Amino acid sequence: MILIINGYSSKYELESLSNMFFQGARVTVTDEDKRATEAEYIFASFSQEGEEACFFVEVRCKGETRALSQREPWESADQSRCDHVFGQLLYRLLSAATGIAPAWGILTGVRPVKLIHRFRREGLSDPEIRRFLTQECYAAEEKADLALRTADREEAIVALSRPDSVSLYVSIPFCPSRCRYCSFVSHAIEKAWKLIPDYLLLLRRELEETAGIVKQLGLRLETVYFGGGTPTSITAPQLEGLIDTIEKNFDLSSLREYTVEAGRPDTITPEKLQMLRRRGVTRISINPQTLNDSVLEEIGRRHTTAQTLEAYAMARAAGHDNINMDLIAGLPGDDLESFCRTIEGVIGLAPDNITLHTLSVKRSSDLRDAGEDFYRREHVRVTGMLSYATRRLREEDYLPYYLYRQKNTMDNLENVGYCRAGKEGYYNVYIMDETHSILAVGAGGVSKLKEPAGNRIERIFNYKYPYEYISRFETVLERKKGVEAFYTQKR
Ligand code: SF4
């Protein structure tokens, strides 16, 4: 599909929205009017006539041509208003042309809940916000409701953060094998294993340096999060070594939460679980993704449901009282019935958190070439899965507390963290809401610095792969000095 944009310089929103209707295909953007030669196209044109801004959108698709236009007072046509008007016109035409009605309407952003926080700050009531989302942005009632409920819980967690708050992310970018849908570990895992001892040595150095910065700047550590990869891929003593370094170098007296994403059940042992508990870890994840063994096999996730159940029982026996379980809707080989069985099975285990992801087909994953047909075929199935899960989790008193969307998710749907009251994963909210700075250590880590009394965000990137991280470690430390520069510059 080709998107022709005429007279309008801000192309991002129009392109993002068009992509939502043609998942798996490529929408090419041009400013050259090729309507006479293209069999199918989207055409968006913007112009000024006197005191008015004129919007015109035309879509030719499946042999039919449809068009809509709108006029707005020129003085109110700032970029946000123009994006909004174009979004509405495009959505209406593309829905009619394709028969697809994305459930989040014209909202293309990663964090729809942030919009709610903003509206509430501006004094809008919840009914007014709901009306805007459903009638102006064409979001489904179900999504508006989910976003509002999520905002309620997020607000309480965000309110705990102070201007000097900071969180720490520790990256363990290793996994026992690579899952088919994963875009993360893109080089041979066997090769990466050999790097672990050197990697951990340097990671501990980066932790020490980071702790020094936190101390010097007088920052207050709120949460620690070990992610990956699969942090429990490394041995219990290796993991404990890192925990040791954190304990010796950071002031943990203000810590609200200490999460280790155990992740793959095939890496979890009683020894690791007991050590984590003993060393003050307050929250872990055990991620089944599905409780259907044939789906696990299909996605190349080399563990079984029996291992998930065993790992969960071991974690409870070790005393873990805040356990998250990640699930994915839309996995290849999964169907609605099997997905519903997974939801029921996980609810039956009664974990404290259930995080429900929608499959996202990343460019570097094995599923990247799935194509347009794949998305069309899966559209109904995935929507049904999320509706079922949303309803059942609500009935079981699981509350949504953070929500985000990713590019290329099936049907442009969302990822939602649900929890029992009082068991929210604070780190998840802080990173999604961009509440305070997250200092990341390790390969693939991205430190996201947030201005204490403003909204300025800066990122510091570590090298993505462990071998780069090891060979260019001095540059990693050099870049970390940017944290001090960021804070001292604004204070
Ligand atoms: S366990 Fe997670 S990070 Fe590791 S390969 Fe599988 S999906 Fe990717």
Side-chain angles (χ1 to χ4, degrees):
M1 179 57 84
I2 185 166
L3 168 62
I4 305 160
I5 301 178
N6 187 285
Y8 190 59
S9 57
S10 165
K11 301 181 166 52
Y12 182 78
E13 279 297 316
L14 276 68
E15 187 181 0
S16 302
L17 193 62
S18 301
N19 273 314
M20 283 170 38
F21 290 86
F22 297 97
Q23 285 198 299
R26 206 166 148 243
V27 174
T28 316
V29 185
T30 179
D31 51 14
E32 198 183 327
D33 191 347
K34 298 179 176 176
R35 282 179 291 169
T37 54
E38 293 289 327
E40 298 203 320
Y41 59 78
I42 305 164
F43 176 77
S45 153
F46 179 72
S47 59
Q48 181 179 8
E49 278 181 28
E51 293 303 303
E52 288 185 319
C54 307
F55 301 82
F56 175 73
V57 177
E58 186 176 86
V59 171
R60 180 154 180 81
C61 184
K62 297 177 189 163
E64 282 189 58
T65 307
R66 296 171 169 86
L68 282 172
S69 62
Q70 189 165 322
R71 285 168 181 263
E72 293 273 313
W74 180 256
E75 71 270 13
S76 61
D78 59 10
Q79 194 195 319
S80 153
R81 181 65 197 159
C82 290
D83 281 347
H84 188 79
V85 172
F86 267 134
Q88 288 182 322
L89 298 178
L90 266 177
Y91 188 94
R92 282 154 58 191
L93 286 182
L94 291 174
S95 294
T98 61
I100 295 171
W104 284 97
I106 66 169
L107 298 171
T108 56
V110 172
R111 302 175 182 85
V113 181
K114 274 194 110 171
L115 199 61
I116 296 178
H117 292 318
R118 200 187 84 208
F119 285 150
R120 283 180 175 172
R121 276 197 305 272
E122 288 171 1
L124 263 68
S125 67
D126 279 7
E128 285 169 328
I129 297 172
R130 185 186 293 273
R131 198 200 69 78
F132 179 78
L133 295 178
T134 55
Q135 291 176 34
E136 294 287 320
C137 300
Y138 308 144
E141 279 287 347
E142 183 187 87
K143 299 303 174 198
D145 183 61
L146 180 65
L148 281 160
R149 290 175 66 221
T150 305
D152 292 343
R153 303 214 76 71
E154 262 197 18
E155 259 164 25
I157 298 166
V158 168
L160 296 171
S161 179
R162 306 181 345 178
D164 56 351
S165 293
V166 74
S167 286
L168 175 70
Y169 178 83
V170 184
S171 171
I172 310 291
F174 305 103
C175 289
S177 65
R178 183 184 172 180
C179 309
R180 253 187 89 205
Y181 60 88
C182 184
S183 62
F184 176 70
V185 187
S186 57
H187 60 295
I189 201 90
E190 292 76 14
K191 193 174 157 198
W193 278 111
K194 294 186 199 135
L195 303 174
I196 290 178
D198 284 347
Y199 179 78
L200 295 179
L201 210 64
L202 297 177
L203 188 58
R204 289 172 79 159
R205 266 191 64 200
E206 195 188 359
L207 277 168
E208 286 163 6
E209 293 288 333
T210 306
I213 295 169
V214 168
K215 199 173 195 174
Q216 193 190 331
L217 293 171
L219 300 176
R220 171 189 156 96
L221 190 61
E222 298 281 350
T223 72
V224 174
Y225 192 100
F226 276 62
T230 304
T232 40
S233 294
I234 58 177
T235 65
Q238 285 171 332
L239 204 46
E240 190 165 12
L242 295 172
I243 291 173
D244 232 14
T245 304
I246 291 171
E247 197 177 293
K248 284 192 183 121
N249 291 279
F250 285 88
D251 175 2
L252 300 182
S253 60
S254 54
L255 202 66
R256 296 182 193 278
E257 175 183 274
Y258 200 142
T259 300
V260 172
E261 206 179 317
R264 288 266 294 259
D266 48 338
T267 62
I268 297 173
T269 63
E271 186 195 7
K272 288 177 198 174
L273 290 166
Q274 283 153 17
M275 180 277 292
L276 294 176
R277 188 73 189 150
R278 193 177 67 246
R279 297 304 303 263
V281 168
T282 58
R283 184 174 179 272
I284 61 166
S285 269
I286 298 170
N287 299 333
Q289 313 302 9
T290 168
L291 295 182
N292 181 331
D293 280 344
S294 64
V295 176
L296 286 171
E297 200 171 323
E298 171 93 6
I299 61 176
R301 213 174 143 90
R302 291 193 210 145
H303 66 81
T304 61
T305 300
Q307 282 175 301
T308 301
L309 302 181
E310 195 187 348
Y312 183 80
M314 285 188 308
R316 287 297 192 208
H320 287 282
D321 58 5
N322 195 350
I323 301 178
N324 170 62
M325 295 189 117
D326 273 8
L327 299 174
I328 302 177
L331 287 171
D334 208 6
D335 58 28
L336 183 59
E337 205 186 322
S338 139
F339 177 81
C340 296
R341 272 201 305 275
T342 291
I343 291 289
E344 294 306 327
V346 170
I347 286 174
L349 291 171
D352 309 279
N353 282 223
I354 297 176
T355 308
L356 184 61
H357 296 269
T358 306
L359 182 67
S360 168
V361 180
K362 301 268 176 63
R363 257 179 306 173
S364 51
S365 85
D366 290 354
L367 295 172
R368 64 192 174 277
D369 297 324
E372 210 172 346
D373 285 351
F374 174 75
Y375 286 94
R376 290 251 159 89
R377 206 174 51 235
E378 303 303 307
H379 163 76
V380 176
R381 182 177 69 114
V382 179
T383 304
M385 287 174 173
L386 282 208
S387 292
Y388 181 85
T390 306
R391 178 175 63 78
R392 285 293 293 126
L393 292 173
R394 186 174 193 156
E395 284 167 5
E396 296 293 330
D397 292 331
Y398 281 98
L399 309 161
Y401 75 94
Y402 82 103
L403 183 158
Y404 68 102
R405 296 165 72 209
Q406 282 171 293
K407 276 208 180 316
N408 302 321
T409 50
M410 298 293 308
D411 216 19
N412 298 294
L413 292 167
E414 65 279 358
N415 302 320
V416 184
Y418 290 90
C419 67
R420 297 281 197 211
K423 298 284 186 176
E424 296 83 356
Y426 293 175
Y427 173 85
N428 294 326
V429 172
Y430 293 144
I431 183 110
M432 269 313 131
D433 176 73
E434 300 176 321
T435 315
H436 59 233
S437 294
I438 308 286
L439 303 180
V441 296
V446 180
S447 295
K448 210 177 192 185
L449 308 175
K450 163 88 191 300
E451 200 179 9
N455 290 318
R456 196 166 65 94
I457 300 262
E458 253 179 45
R459 290 175 175 78
I460 298 177
F461 293 87
N462 280 6
Y463 291 104
K464 188 171 175 189
Y465 298 111
Y467 71 89
E468 292 173 293
Y469 176 82
I470 293 168
S471 64
R472 307 178 76 177
F473 185 69
E474 292 312 318
T475 312
V476 172
L477 291 190
E478 196 53 40
R479 286 183 188 170
K480 256 275 136 34
K481 290 184 183 153
V483 177
E484 286 171 89
F486 179 86
Y487 275 92
T488 47
Q489 182 190 337
K490 296 308 291 181
R491 281 184 163 186

